Amino acid sequence: MAEDLNVEVVAADRKVWSGEASIVIARTPEGEIGIMPGHEPVLGLLVAGPVTVRSTGGEAVVVAVSGGFLSVSQNHIAILAEQAELADEIDVAAAEAELAELGDDGDGTRRWAQARLDVAASR
């Protein structure tokens, strides 16, 4: 079997998560992409939504990202996002209030608030 993936999820202000994984699933403008060990190198754009990392221990780590980039090279995956939060870090009440306050304005901020709520619901 191929070796495990070395994954880093990094926001502009901090490293959100890093560790070994068997698969990473993320959203791109074209749809979802799944990366497993041995994947060809790729650089992709991410849209606001969940990134799911299945650790080698079987645990699913779900992270809300505001968009960003995915870089894959030699079983190393870097998820680079302006904003990122682990599912258990998300303040659902604050995300709901932000979404209600925005109404139809703030398209990017609205997508980020909705992504946080979607990820929090997956806990």
Side-chain angles (χ1 to χ4, degrees):
M1 181 173 169
E3 63 183 78
D4 296 327
L5 297 167
N6 179 11
V7 181
E8 293 181 289
V9 180
V10 181
D13 60 344
R14 68 188 178 115
K15 183 184 286 189
V16 177
W17 187 88
S18 67
E20 300 294 315
S22 57
I23 188 169
V24 174
I25 301 168
R27 289 187 184 165
T28 71
E30 292 81 29
E32 287 192 338
I33 184 170
I35 308 292
M36 296 177 71
H39 198 284
E40 289 294 315
V42 67
L43 179 62
L45 184 65
L46 298 176
V47 296
V51 172
T52 303
V53 179
R54 178 76 56 193
S55 73
T56 53
E59 170 192 10
V61 177
V62 184
V63 182
V65 298
S66 61
F69 297 93
L70 166 83
S71 172
V72 179
S73 179
Q74 299 177 355
N75 288 334
H76 180 264
I77 300 178
I79 306 283
L80 309 169
E82 179 75 27
Q83 298 171 298
E85 288 183 51
L86 290 166
D88 59 359
E89 295 176 342
I90 296 171
D91 181 341
V92 174
E96 287 174 341
E98 186 176 336
L99 199 55
E101 183 179 310
L102 288 170
D104 291 333
D105 297 331
D107 195 37
T109 306
R110 182 173 184 68
R111 284 192 302 267
W112 168 236
Q114 187 62 56
R116 290 168 46 218
L117 288 174
D118 293 346
V119 168
S122 74
R123 291 187 236 186

